[in-house]
Amino acid sequence: MRQGLFVTIEGCEGAGKSTQCTLLALALERHGYPTYTAREPGGTPVSEKIRAILLDPGNNEITPRVELLLFLASRAQLVHQVILPALERGAVVISDRFHHSTLAYQGGARGLGLEDVGRVNAFATGALLPDITFLLDLPPEDGFLRKQGTTADRMEGAGIEFHRRVREVFLELAERERERIVVLDACEPVEKIAGQIESRVFQLLDQRSGQ
Ligand code: Z5A
């Protein structure tokens, strides 16, 4: 039975997701909450091997459907090996990306369709959904500037129009799922964003414990 809290952090390249996942985990641990942090794609030995295939710029023959299935294979392994057991132990699980990324990148920007992608995702995860999602919203141009000097992987090399479409779909998803997705301005200072995320997560944890 699921008892923990499942938090996901989403957004375009360089929006600050990894930074915020780390800060949230530290804040939770300071307050004594058992916490598990995952990143997608990846997070288990098998999922990390799939990540290497997906991000290798040399694998330019990967078709959109194969890309989708590889992201979902990585996720299925992560969910069943790590995330569900952690939630069952009562941990707060923080995932750096989850299914909203698949909807935005493969469903929207690659054109596979939100409904079809949503269905295959639900099969892969057993329909696991986050309790809350923070969408760090940033123009992709700004995200790429933050990552200047790093080598572009296969997804980063998809072109600026592709990444603009990803952002648009993320914002459309946030409109549709207002009760789950909190949109935050990723241009704000790191500490301000961290404070916004922490206060919402601690509020949810307090509600759960009946305080
Ligand atoms: N993908 C997909 O297509 N479908 C899927 O289902 C899933 C993923 C799950 C994974 O790449 C790729 O897979 C990704 C989507 C796709 N591709 N793209 N493009 P990844 O895991 O290697 O990279 P990422 O997820 O895009 O994260 P990132 O590039 O590492 O960025 P980030 O985690 O959002 O940002 P960060 O590392 O925390 O910060 C980046 C820099 O900005 C760093 O120097 C920070 O110090 C700085 N920073 C952070 N916050 C701020 C603020 N607030 N102000 C100023 N500077 C900041």
Side-chain angles (χ1 to χ4, degrees):
M1 196 184 68
R2 178 173 161 181
Q3 293 166 332
L5 188 77
F6 186 26
V7 179
T8 62
I9 303 198
E10 296 277 10
C12 293
E13 193 64 19
K17 300 176 296 299
S18 314
T19 304
Q20 295 301 334
C21 285
T22 304
L23 291 175
L24 178 60
L26 287 171
L28 288 162
E29 281 159 13
R30 271 199 305 275
H31 285 81
Y33 288 99
T35 303
Y36 184 88
T37 308
R39 73 156 175 184
E40 279 230 67
T44 74
V46 165
S47 308
E48 289 292 330
K49 288 181 184 167
I50 299 171
R51 176 185 174 90
I53 296 172
L54 276 164
L55 299 188
D56 181 350
N59 288 336
N60 51 16
E61 77 273 31
I62 292 181
T63 68
R65 281 166 194 261
V66 170
E67 180 179 287
L68 169 68
L69 294 171
L70 287 171
F71 275 114
L72 294 181
S74 166
R75 177 167 308 142
Q77 188 68 34
L78 178 69
V79 165
H80 295 284
Q81 185 177 340
V82 175
I83 294 182
L84 286 176
L87 290 172
E88 279 159 20
R89 288 195 305 272
V92 181
V93 175
I94 307 163
S95 188
D96 184 341
R97 297 191 181 276
F98 197 66
H99 77 296
H100 291 107
S101 280
T102 324
L103 292 170
Y105 285 82
Q106 282 68 50
R110 290 282 193 230
L112 294 176
L114 299 185
E115 283 189 15
D116 281 350
V117 169
R119 265 195 297 275
V120 200
N121 177 73
F123 173 76
T125 62
L128 174 68
L129 291 174
D131 295 295
I132 186 151
T133 296
F134 295 96
L135 172 58
L136 304 184
D137 179 49
L138 186 74
E141 295 83 352
D142 296 359
F144 282 116
L145 273 180
R146 286 182 184 175
K147 296 207 65 186
Q148 252 177 0
T150 60
T151 314
D153 62 40
R154 196 180 61 84
M155 297 302 296
E156 287 163 359
I160 196 68
E161 280 311 321
F162 176 86
H163 291 281
R164 287 197 186 117
R165 179 72 188 129
V166 168
R167 183 190 187 199
E168 278 171 18
V169 183
F170 269 134
L171 291 171
E172 284 166 24
L173 294 170
E175 271 297 305
R176 284 196 202 179
E177 294 184 50
R178 288 189 195 187
E179 71 301 335
R180 188 191 316 277
I181 303 181
V182 179
V183 183
L184 298 172
D185 181 356
C187 299
E188 296 281 7
V190 169
E191 300 71 26
K192 181 173 176 186
I193 300 168
Q196 291 169 323
I197 294 176
E198 281 166 33
S199 70
R200 188 76 183 92
V201 169
F202 282 112
Q203 190 188 25
L204 278 178
L205 288 166
D206 287 347
Q207 280 168 4
R208 292 227 167 161
S209 64
Q211 287 174 18

